[in-house]
Amino acid sequence: MLGVVVVGVGRAGSVRIRDLQSPQHHPSPLKLIGFVSRRELGNINETKQISLQDALSSTEVDVAYICSENVGHETSIRQFLDAGKHVLVEYPMTLSLASAQELWKKAEEKGKILHEEHIELLTEEFAFVKNEVRGKKLLEGTLHFTGSPLDRERFGFLAFSGIARLSWLVSLFGELAFVSAAMEEQKENQYQKMTVNLETVDKRPLTWIEERASGLKYERRINFLFESGRLESIPPRTQGQKNIFLRDQDIFVRKLLGQMSTEDLAKEKKHSLHCLGIADEIQKYCQHLQ
Ligand code: NAD
């Protein structure tokens, strides 16, 4: 059995704790040992709160789930890798390409698994779009995301907090090149809009828009023009969101048990670093504009 500690008990951390506490649908090598929180939460069901120091030093803990705000990921990953633990981190892994590269190197040197959650690739919506796109030749496309404001101080620049959208585009159309970006911000009403121009390897234009403001609904709008026609909508889910965090955990477990091929591991790492690299470029470009 591998002992797990969950760091950060917000929305994602709570789901992770629930999944680890629930009877697993198939035998799992994971056992929840405790959780770390900045707040005094006491116990969650039978699971006890432990200090960060105890989580790092306990020989019972083999694995850390980093479910805290994005700004803390880098430090937490480094601490747990240095303590000889495997790490699962909610996306985005870090808020810069350089730190992600350094942490991947550290994980490899220590012989530990570093897994970045990508639940956006496990949704029914993504499966639909992926299937629609298969075999088609893209001429141009747009992915426009809207949602409520996200605190930049805690979740980072929009290109990082919105990495799930970039991950969709890369998974659908292959590696992308950054062309240019624009930012619109109205601090008084927490309005933020980032428009990014990207290009596929065939030099086809893709636009990624990330727009956040009070009252904006969580929504993804797509408009992909192919030689064979246009894809403009994603049908509503037919079932509730299938347990995507649990499916992500299954992928992590396969890695821990050495059941994922070296090629697949390398592919995932490349995907993660490619997305973080583009996010990094966008951020630098936008900072330069200011
Ligand atoms: P959240 O604000 O609900 O939770 C973050 C929690 O982390 C808070 O409870 C905060 O107190 C805690 N925290 C922050 N710093 C900490 C520290 N140093 N030690 C212990 N606890 C700390 O946010 P969330 O939506 O759960 O997002 C958490 C992470 O999960 C983010 O990286 C996000 O990108 C990722 N994620 C979330 C979802 C989702 O559906 N909510 C989906 C995919 C990925």
Side-chain angles (χ1 to χ4, degrees), residues 92-285:
M93 176 178 290
T94 59
L95 296 176
S96 77
L97 175 65
S99 55
Q101 284 168 327
E102 177 228 314
L103 293 168
W104 271 110
K105 192 162 169 270
K106 188 181 275 294
E108 282 159 6
E109 282 165 6
K110 301 238 168 217
K112 296 293 157 193
I113 299 295
L114 175 55
H115 170 80
E116 183 182 29
E117 161 264 308
H118 277 292
I119 53 167
E120 78 285 358
L121 304 179
L122 305 174
T123 60
E124 192 182 324
E125 292 91 335
F126 182 72
F128 167 84
V129 181
K130 180 91 181 162
N131 196 40
E132 286 292 315
V133 164
R134 190 165 290 124
K136 292 186 183 155
K137 204 163 162 32
L138 179 80
L139 297 179
E140 59 179 1
T142 302
L143 171 59
H144 183 170
F145 171 85
T146 58
S148 50
L150 209 53
D151 180 8
R152 185 173 169 171
E153 297 298 309
R154 297 188 297 137
F155 289 95
F157 180 68
L158 274 187
F160 285 96
S161 57
I163 204 98
R165 267 64 71 188
L166 191 51
S167 170
W168 263 38
L169 291 175
V170 170
S171 301
L172 293 170
F173 303 111
E175 294 213 344
L176 301 172
F178 169 70
V179 179
S180 64
M183 275 298 292
E184 268 178 75
E185 268 184 279
Q186 292 157 22
K187 288 225 165 67
E188 56 289 359
N189 48 7
Q190 293 178 284
Y191 178 80
Q192 276 195 308
K193 183 177 184 185
M194 177 187 79
T195 304
V196 184
N197 298 309
L198 301 160
E199 219 171 53
T200 66
V201 283
D202 297 335
K203 304 272 178 223
R204 296 298 173 187
L206 269 176
T207 308
W208 167 30
I209 304 168
E210 195 79 7
E211 191 177 15
R212 287 187 172 272
S214 301
L216 276 187
K217 260 202 337 210
Y218 181 99
E219 205 168 29
R220 268 171 302 222
R221 277 174 250 154
I222 57 167
N223 194 336
F224 297 141
L225 178 64
F226 300 100
E227 267 183 354
S228 54
R230 208 178 266 281
L231 177 66
E232 283 180 287
S233 61
I234 307 172
R237 267 176 225 150
T238 53
Q239 304 139 355
Q241 189 70 275
K242 287 227 196 89
N243 227 331
I244 47 180
F245 280 98
L246 196 53
R247 288 180 56 207
D248 176 73
Q249 177 172 284
D250 288 343
I251 298 171
F252 179 54
V253 168
R254 282 179 53 217
K255 293 180 183 177
L256 288 173
L257 298 180
Q259 292 170 350
M260 189 176 280
S261 70
T262 321
E263 294 75 38
D264 284 345
L265 285 170
K267 222 163 101 183
E268 270 200 27
K269 174 181 167 186
K270 197 168 167 211
H271 175 85
S272 166
L273 289 176
H274 181 63
C275 293
L276 292 168
I278 297 174
D280 205 292
E281 271 190 276
I282 300 169
Q283 178 169 16
K284 288 191 175 119
Y285 185 93

Side-chain angles (χ1 to χ4, degrees), residues 6-16 35-39 41 52 66-73 76 79 89-93 117-120 150 154-155 160-164 218 244-245:
V6 173
V7 180
V9 190
R11 281 165 299 171
S14 303
V15 174
R16 293 297 189 177
F35 64 88
V36 175
S37 177
R38 288 181 302 190
R39 294 167 292 161
L41 295 175
L52 175 65
I66 310 301
C67 310
S68 52
E69 296 144 0
N70 301 343
V71 74
H73 289 186
S76 297
Q79 283 174 322
V89 59
E90 310 294 357
Y91 71 65
M93 176 178 290
E117 161 264 308
H118 277 292
I119 53 167
E120 78 285 358
L150 209 53
R154 297 188 297 137
F155 289 95
F160 285 96
S161 57
I163 204 98
Y218 181 99
I244 47 180
F245 280 98

